[in-house]
Amino acid sequence: DAMVIQNPRYQVTQFGKPVTLSCSQTLNHNVMYWYQQKSSQAPKLLFHYYDKDFNNEADTPDNFQSRRPNTSFCFLDIRSPGLGDAAMYLCATSIPTGRAETQYFGPGTRLLVL
Amino acid sequence: AQTVTQSQPEMSVQEAETVTLSCTYDTSESDYYLFWYKQPPSRQMILVIRQEAYKQQNATENRFSVNFQKAAKSFSLKISDSQLGDAAMYFCAYRSGYGGATNKLIFGTGTLLAVQP
């Protein structure tokens, strides 16, 4: 089945130790998004790729970076995780239709920072 | 800036009964889209239903329907004949119709729905 896959589902890292979360998709969608969802809060967009074009949200901390080596894969790099970065990270994809595009979400990676 | 508010952190419904989840939003735009997403425990978020602001008719998808009140900026979700599989976190989301094809979703904080057998 075509889908959005996130690995790992749970990630534990140490304070200040770089960590990479991965997302892959078999939908062949142009756009890939990364959202951060903290406990009891709304998911918040960090950035997205439209093909190779990277679009950063204005309030996304510099500590968060992303890479998209090809259509299928997108990575979220957290250079120096702090305790406040513990959250669920959601990857989503879409085809930009110009109107009511649907975003397809992966199951998320829950990041714990010790 | 647009905001989405879900004032019910948790709701409970008996199996086979009907439940309504509330959502209000704030925007100065006239062209936008509203969505309800369902996030089951440990599973991915999936789209339940979508409403385009320029359409007056309320969207319906099987047991799911919305009550879209544009003037009041209200977008509630009604689940009829509730089933155990409906238990999940439900997010209301807003997307602008301006500015390009990849406008972000702005989510509310979610309503956790429990379905009692």
Side-chain angles (χ1 to χ4, degrees):
Chain A
D1 288 341
M3 58 176 54
V4 182
I5 302 160
Q6 290 189 246
N7 287 309
R9 295 292 307 275
Y10 299 89
Q11 176 74 56
V12 181
T13 191
Q14 291 179 328
F15 182 93
K17 184 175 181 181
V19 65
T20 295
L21 310 182
S22 73
C23 177
S24 64
Q25 53 130 341
T26 59
L27 298 162
N28 205 33
H29 283 176
N30 301 88
V31 190
M32 296 186 77
Y33 305 81
W34 278 104
Y35 289 85
Q36 179 191 61
Q37 184 182 11
K38 294 186 177 181
S39 181
S40 302
Q41 295 185 23
K44 180 177 175 299
L45 183 66
L46 295 172
F47 27 58
H48 74 271
Y49 273 96
Y50 188 157
D51 294 324
K52 285 282 193 180
D53 293 332
F54 177 71
N55 299 272
N56 200 35
E57 291 297 298
D59 55 356
T60 297
D62 293 340
N63 198 26
F64 291 86
Q65 303 288 323
S66 186
R67 295 170 285 134
R68 189 178 185 186
N70 53 52
T71 300
S72 301
F73 286 87
C74 194
F75 300 99
L76 171 61
D77 300 310
I78 309 176
R79 293 190 296 189
S80 182
L83 298 179
D85 297 328
M88 176 75 85
Y89 289 88
L90 301 172
C91 176
T93 73
S94 73
I95 291 181
T97 63
R99 299 302 293 177
E101 66 173 272
T102 296
Q103 293 188 19
Y104 295 83
F105 285 83
T109 294
R110 185 167 296 282
L111 178 67
L112 180 62
V113 181
L114 302 179
Chain B
Q2 297 81 28
T3 59
V4 177
T5 302
Q6 292 179 253
S7 58
Q8 305 155 315
E10 296 181 17
M11 294 279 286
S12 182
V13 64
Q14 291 291 128
E15 198 174 3
E17 296 294 309
T18 295
V19 64
T20 298
L21 308 184
S22 300
C23 173
T24 59
Y25 58 95
D26 189 28
T27 185
S28 59
E29 299 176 333
S30 58
D31 185 13
Y32 54 88
Y33 306 88
L34 297 166
F35 306 84
W36 279 99
Y37 277 86
K38 170 185 177 182
Q39 187 179 37
S42 301
R43 296 180 62 187
Q44 60 256 59
M45 196 149 28
I46 57 173
L47 179 66
V48 174
I49 200 165
R50 169 175 57 212
Q51 176 79 42
E52 298 173 49
Y54 64 87
K55 290 187 177 179
Q56 292 186 330
Q57 186 173 5
N58 289 325
T60 300
E61 288 287 342
N62 300 313
R63 297 183 294 107
F64 298 87
S65 61
V66 298
N67 184 4
F68 174 46
Q69 300 290 326
K70 191 171 184 178
K73 296 179 181 173
S74 170
F75 182 60
S76 61
L77 174 69
K78 185 171 83 171
I79 306 174
S80 304
D81 186 24
S82 296
Q83 300 175 359
L84 296 178
D86 295 333
M89 180 73 85
Y90 286 82
F91 288 98
C92 179
Y94 171 102
R95 176 179 175 268
S96 173
Y98 299 97
T102 58
N103 283 332
K104 63 185 177 185
L105 290 173
I106 299 170
F107 287 92
T109 51
T111 296
L112 184 62
L113 178 66
V115 181
Q116 308 298 331

